[in-house]
PDB file of all heavy atoms in Angstrom:
ATOM      1  N   PRO A1014     -19.852  16.766   7.238  1.00  0.00           N
ATOM      2  CA  PRO A1014     -19.627  15.439   7.834  1.00  0.00           C
ATOM      3  C   PRO A1014     -19.885  14.290   6.870  1.00  0.00           C
ATOM      4  O   PRO A1014     -19.176  13.285   6.901  1.00  0.00           O
ATOM      5  CB  PRO A1014     -20.606  15.415   9.013  1.00  0.00           C
ATOM      6  CG  PRO A1014     -21.617  16.474   8.728  1.00  0.00           C
ATOM      7  CD  PRO A1014     -20.910  17.519   7.940  1.00  0.00           C
ATOM      8  N   ILE A1015     -20.898  14.414   6.012  1.00  0.00           N
ATOM      9  CA  ILE A1015     -21.155  13.342   5.043  1.00  0.00           C
ATOM     10  C   ILE A1015     -20.036  13.290   4.016  1.00  0.00           C
ATOM     11  O   ILE A1015     -19.511  12.220   3.676  1.00  0.00           O
ATOM     12  CB  ILE A1015     -22.514  13.553   4.361  1.00  0.00           C
ATOM     13  CG1 ILE A1015     -23.639  13.604   5.399  1.00  0.00           C
ATOM     14  CG2 ILE A1015     -22.784  12.441   3.346  1.00  0.00           C
ATOM     15  CD1 ILE A1015     -24.999  13.893   4.806  1.00  0.00           C
ATOM     16  N   GLY A1016     -19.640  14.458   3.525  1.00  0.00           N
ATOM     17  CA  GLY A1016     -18.530  14.507   2.581  1.00  0.00           C
ATOM     18  C   GLY A1016     -17.235  14.006   3.193  1.00  0.00           C
ATOM     19  O   GLY A1016     -16.422  13.373   2.516  1.00  0.00           O
ATOM     20  N   GLY A1017     -17.025  14.268   4.488  1.00  0.00           N
ATOM     21  CA  GLY A1017     -15.835  13.766   5.154  1.00  0.00           C
ATOM     22  C   GLY A1017     -15.804  12.259   5.216  1.00  0.00           C
ATOM     23  O   GLY A1017     -14.754  11.627   5.012  1.00  0.00           O
ATOM     24  N   THR A1018     -16.953  11.649   5.508  1.00  0.00           N
ATOM     25  CA  THR A1018     -17.026  10.184   5.539  1.00  0.00           C
ATOM     26  C   THR A1018     -16.733   9.593   4.174  1.00  0.00           C
ATOM     27  O   THR A1018     -15.969   8.625   4.048  1.00  0.00           O
ATOM     28  CB  THR A1018     -18.423   9.748   6.001  1.00  0.00           C
ATOM     29  OG1 THR A1018     -18.724  10.351   7.269  1.00  0.00           O
ATOM     30  CG2 THR A1018     -18.500   8.239   6.135  1.00  0.00           C
ATOM     31  N   LEU A1019     -17.293  10.197   3.141  1.00  0.00           N
ATOM     32  CA  LEU A1019     -17.047   9.696   1.790  1.00  0.00           C
ATOM     33  C   LEU A1019     -15.610   9.949   1.355  1.00  0.00           C
ATOM     34  O   LEU A1019     -15.024   9.148   0.615  1.00  0.00           O
ATOM     35  CB  LEU A1019     -18.024  10.350   0.808  1.00  0.00           C
ATOM     36  CG  LEU A1019     -19.499   9.981   1.007  1.00  0.00           C
ATOM     37  CD1 LEU A1019     -20.380  10.769   0.052  1.00  0.00           C
ATOM     38  CD2 LEU A1019     -19.700   8.486   0.796  1.00  0.00           C
ATOM     39  N   PHE A1020     -15.019  11.062   1.797  1.00  0.00           N
ATOM     40  CA  PHE A1020     -13.619  11.335   1.460  1.00  0.00           C
ATOM     41  C   PHE A1020     -12.699  10.290   2.083  1.00  0.00           C
ATOM     42  O   PHE A1020     -11.752   9.822   1.450  1.00  0.00           O
ATOM     43  CB  PHE A1020     -13.236  12.729   1.951  1.00  0.00           C
ATOM     44  CG  PHE A1020     -11.815  13.119   1.629  1.00  0.00           C
ATOM     45  CD1 PHE A1020     -11.505  13.677   0.402  1.00  0.00           C
ATOM     46  CD2 PHE A1020     -10.796  12.927   2.545  1.00  0.00           C
ATOM     47  CE1 PHE A1020     -10.202  14.033   0.087  1.00  0.00           C
ATOM     48  CE2 PHE A1020      -9.492  13.279   2.257  1.00  0.00           C
ATOM     49  CZ  PHE A1020      -9.194  13.835   1.018  1.00  0.00           C
ATOM     50  N   SER A1021     -12.984   9.916   3.325  1.00  0.00           N
ATOM     51  CA  SER A1021     -12.190   8.879   3.969  1.00  0.00           C
ATOM     52  C   SER A1021     -12.312   7.562   3.218  1.00  0.00           C
ATOM     53  O   SER A1021     -11.325   6.830   3.064  1.00  0.00           O
ATOM     54  CB  SER A1021     -12.642   8.702   5.424  1.00  0.00           C
ATOM     55  OG  SER A1021     -11.916   7.687   6.073  1.00  0.00           O
ATOM     56  N   LEU A1022     -13.504   7.271   2.728  1.00  0.00           N
ATOM     57  CA  LEU A1022     -13.722   6.031   1.980  1.00  0.00           C
ATOM     58  C   LEU A1022     -13.064   6.089   0.609  1.00  0.00           C
ATOM     59  O   LEU A1022     -12.400   5.139   0.180  1.00  0.00           O
ATOM     60  CB  LEU A1022     -15.224   5.770   1.843  1.00  0.00           C
ATOM     61  CG  LEU A1022     -15.660   4.676   0.858  1.00  0.00           C
ATOM     62  CD1 LEU A1022     -15.140   3.322   1.306  1.00  0.00           C
ATOM     63  CD2 LEU A1022     -17.180   4.656   0.732  1.00  0.00           C
ATOM     64  N   GLU A1023     -13.225   7.211  -0.084  1.00  0.00           N
ATOM     65  CA  GLU A1023     -12.803   7.302  -1.478  1.00  0.00           C
ATOM     66  C   GLU A1023     -11.313   7.559  -1.642  1.00  0.00           C
ATOM     67  O   GLU A1023     -10.676   7.020  -2.550  1.00  0.00           O
ATOM     68  CB  GLU A1023     -13.584   8.427  -2.172  1.00  0.00           C
ATOM     69  CG  GLU A1023     -13.230   8.627  -3.641  1.00  0.00           C
ATOM     70  CD  GLU A1023     -14.025   9.758  -4.270  1.00  0.00           C
ATOM     71  OE1 GLU A1023     -14.765  10.448  -3.535  1.00  0.00           O
ATOM     72  OE2 GLU A1023     -13.882   9.954  -5.489  1.00  0.00           O
ATOM     73  N   GLU A1024     -10.729   8.346  -0.753  1.00  0.00           N
ATOM     74  CA  GLU A1024      -9.387   8.850  -1.011  1.00  0.00           C
ATOM     75  C   GLU A1024      -8.304   8.248  -0.125  1.00  0.00           C
ATOM     76  O   GLU A1024      -7.227   7.909  -0.611  1.00  0.00           O
ATOM     77  CB  GLU A1024      -9.372  10.379  -0.851  1.00  0.00           C
ATOM     78  CG  GLU A1024      -8.051  11.034  -1.199  1.00  0.00           C
ATOM     79  CD  GLU A1024      -7.675  10.854  -2.660  1.00  0.00           C
ATOM     80  OE1 GLU A1024      -8.587  10.659  -3.493  1.00  0.00           O
ATOM     81  OE2 GLU A1024      -6.462  10.883  -2.959  1.00  0.00           O
ATOM     82  N   VAL A1025      -8.543   8.121   1.175  1.00  0.00           N
ATOM     83  CA  VAL A1025      -7.432   7.790   2.068  1.00  0.00           C
ATOM     84  C   VAL A1025      -7.477   6.383   2.647  1.00  0.00           C
ATOM     85  O   VAL A1025      -6.426   5.794   2.900  1.00  0.00           O
ATOM     86  CB  VAL A1025      -7.344   8.804   3.235  1.00  0.00           C
ATOM     87  CG1 VAL A1025      -7.056  10.186   2.702  1.00  0.00           C
ATOM     88  CG2 VAL A1025      -8.614   8.798   4.069  1.00  0.00           C
ATOM     89  N   SER A1026      -8.656   5.829   2.881  1.00  0.00           N
ATOM     90  CA  SER A1026      -8.743   4.558   3.595  1.00  0.00           C
ATOM     91  C   SER A1026      -8.413   3.388   2.684  1.00  0.00           C
ATOM     92  O   SER A1026      -8.694   3.398   1.489  1.00  0.00           O
ATOM     93  CB  SER A1026     -10.136   4.368   4.203  1.00  0.00           C
ATOM     94  OG  SER A1026     -10.362   5.305   5.222  1.00  0.00           O
ATOM     95  N   TYR A1027      -7.822   2.364   3.285  1.00  0.00           N
ATOM     96  CA  TYR A1027      -7.439   1.140   2.590  1.00  0.00           C
ATOM     97  C   TYR A1027      -8.387  -0.004   2.955  1.00  0.00           C
ATOM     98  O   TYR A1027      -8.729  -0.825   2.120  1.00  0.00           O
ATOM     99  CB  TYR A1027      -6.002   0.781   2.979  1.00  0.00           C
ATOM    100  CG  TYR A1027      -5.379  -0.331   2.174  1.00  0.00           C
ATOM    101  CD1 TYR A1027      -4.779  -0.056   0.941  1.00  0.00           C
ATOM    102  CD2 TYR A1027      -5.360  -1.638   2.635  1.00  0.00           C
ATOM    103  CE1 TYR A1027      -4.192  -1.067   0.195  1.00  0.00           C
ATOM    104  CE2 TYR A1027      -4.773  -2.654   1.909  1.00  0.00           C
ATOM    105  CZ  TYR A1027      -4.193  -2.364   0.683  1.00  0.00           C
ATOM    106  OH  TYR A1027      -3.605  -3.363  -0.059  1.00  0.00           O
ATOM    107  N   PHE A1028      -8.799  -0.032   4.214  1.00  0.00           N
ATOM    108  CA  PHE A1028      -9.714  -1.072   4.727  1.00  0.00           C
ATOM    109  C   PHE A1028     -10.893  -0.346   5.358  1.00  0.00           C
ATOM    110  O   PHE A1028     -10.736   0.361   6.349  1.00  0.00           O
ATOM    111  CB  PHE A1028      -8.973  -1.940   5.749  1.00  0.00           C
ATOM    112  CG  PHE A1028      -9.830  -3.002   6.375  1.00  0.00           C
ATOM    113  CD1 PHE A1028     -10.333  -4.036   5.614  1.00  0.00           C
ATOM    114  CD2 PHE A1028     -10.122  -2.977   7.722  1.00  0.00           C
ATOM    115  CE1 PHE A1028     -11.126  -5.022   6.187  1.00  0.00           C
ATOM    116  CE2 PHE A1028     -10.904  -3.960   8.309  1.00  0.00           C
ATOM    117  CZ  PHE A1028     -11.406  -4.983   7.529  1.00  0.00           C
ATOM    118  N   PHE A1029     -12.082  -0.495   4.758  1.00  0.00           N
ATOM    119  CA  PHE A1029     -13.224   0.322   5.168  1.00  0.00           C
ATOM    120  C   PHE A1029     -14.482  -0.537   5.240  1.00  0.00           C
ATOM    121  O   PHE A1029     -15.401  -0.404   4.427  1.00  0.00           O
ATOM    122  CB  PHE A1029     -13.420   1.470   4.172  1.00  0.00           C
ATOM    123  CG  PHE A1029     -14.077   2.685   4.771  1.00  0.00           C
ATOM    124  CD1 PHE A1029     -13.343   3.588   5.516  1.00  0.00           C
ATOM    125  CD2 PHE A1029     -15.423   2.938   4.576  1.00  0.00           C
ATOM    126  CE1 PHE A1029     -13.928   4.714   6.055  1.00  0.00           C
ATOM    127  CE2 PHE A1029     -16.022   4.055   5.110  1.00  0.00           C
ATOM    128  CZ  PHE A1029     -15.271   4.952   5.850  1.00  0.00           C
ATOM    129  N   PRO A1030     -14.587  -1.427   6.239  1.00  0.00           N
ATOM    130  CA  PRO A1030     -15.801  -2.239   6.392  1.00  0.00           C
ATOM    131  C   PRO A1030     -16.957  -1.380   6.879  1.00  0.00           C
ATOM    132  O   PRO A1030     -16.766  -0.218   7.275  1.00  0.00           O
ATOM    133  CB  PRO A1030     -15.384  -3.280   7.440  1.00  0.00           C
ATOM    134  CG  PRO A1030     -14.298  -2.628   8.220  1.00  0.00           C
ATOM    135  CD  PRO A1030     -13.570  -1.748   7.257  1.00  0.00           C
ATOM    136  N   PRO A1031     -18.182  -1.911   6.880  1.00  0.00           N
ATOM    137  CA  PRO A1031     -19.351  -1.110   7.279  1.00  0.00           C
ATOM    138  C   PRO A1031     -19.238  -0.481   8.659  1.00  0.00           C
ATOM    139  O   PRO A1031     -19.634   0.661   8.859  1.00  0.00           O
ATOM    140  CB  PRO A1031     -20.502  -2.121   7.204  1.00  0.00           C
ATOM    141  CG  PRO A1031     -20.065  -3.114   6.189  1.00  0.00           C
ATOM    142  CD  PRO A1031     -18.583  -3.226   6.339  1.00  0.00           C
TER     143      PRO A1031
END
Side-chain angles (χ1 to χ4, degrees):
I1015 302 177
T1018 305
L1019 294 176
F1020 181 85
S1021 179
L1022 168 64
E1023 180 180 6
E1024 184 63 25
V1025 297
S1026 293
Y1027 190 84
F1028 178 66
F1029 207 80

